Amino acid sequence: MILYIFIGVCLLIWLVEFLFRIPKISNLSNKYVLITGCDSGFGNELAIQLDGKGIHVIASCLTEKARNELGSSLSQRSSAILMNVADHGSVQEALNKVREIIPKSEGLWGLVNNAGIGGYGGAMEWWSRDEYKRVLDVNLFGLIDVTKVFTPMLKQGRGRIVNVASICGRVVIPEAGYCISKFGVECFSDEIRVQLKAFGISVCIIEPGFFRTSLTDGFFAPVRAKWAELSPETRQEFGGQEVLESRIARVSKSLDSLPSRDTGKVVNSMEHALTAKYPKKRYSVGYDAKLYFIPLSYMPSVVTDFLFRL
């Protein structure tokens, strides 16, 4: 009897929250949203999807080629601009461009910090300080810089910040730089969510599980290149070529089976964070995130250490 009551209460809570999250904000056609990292992947898909919903999208890309290709896919209400989030001068130039696009009477409704790069597989000793810094400059410090620069416009629009973290910001997958940066994104987001609430700004975190994107494709090329640079003594210390190929084969098998190709789940979560009247604070996206990594994040460290040694 107690079990049935417990299940009923859980279902009731789930239903109430589900209904609570359905209402959308009004006047979407008057909203301006800036998205970083729109060259490909989630950012590219989100820009096209929001543009199709009538929102004024300002999609930033790293390369001229990507900007031109995306710009041709957007309507006249939206724009594609250049921005390198790791370069403060480029971020300032993007700010000036956004100010030209958005009417002075309007503020910025949404900032989606999506730009990111992958880390490096292999042992910590293999990778230099500069290689760690390269990942952190884009994934963490770039995100912080963009947020700081555009916060005054967000205050004017009493808008929303959507930061794309990762399930790797909750559970560490051995990889140089990436998880460190995503743990930092989680921490920074929690910090500013409290600080900016007084200005009417909401902060949401997107935590995708493993999805097939440019970050998962070509994962092993840098590992093999770095392995070739190591001294024979170092390669032998880590088990030699046979051990490397064995580990690559095991990880490759996981990357072939684990990542979902339905990237629309992540994009829809981003859209909900921007358009829902009552958005969630965190969106854990994907069955692997919800059923494996989130529960795993609450496990004792000895459990996660054992699983990642397998």
Side-chain angles (χ1 to χ4, degrees), residues 61-73:
C61 299
L62 179 62
T63 68
E64 186 77 40
K65 178 183 177 183
R67 183 186 71 164
N68 293 336
E69 290 177 353
L70 179 58
S72 65
S73 300

Side-chain angles (χ1 to χ4, degrees), residues 222-264:
V223 178
R224 293 186 185 279
K226 178 60 69 172
W227 179 262
E229 297 174 4
L230 300 176
S231 67
E233 294 78 16
T234 302
R235 290 199 292 267
Q236 189 59 39
E237 178 185 2
F238 286 93
Q241 190 72 31
E242 185 177 344
V243 172
L244 174 71
E245 295 301 333
S246 174
R247 292 181 177 177
I248 287 179
R250 187 169 67 247
V251 176
S252 179
K253 184 177 180 181
S254 298
L255 289 178
D256 286 339
S257 60
L258 185 59
S260 170
R261 297 184 181 275
D262 187 7
T263 54

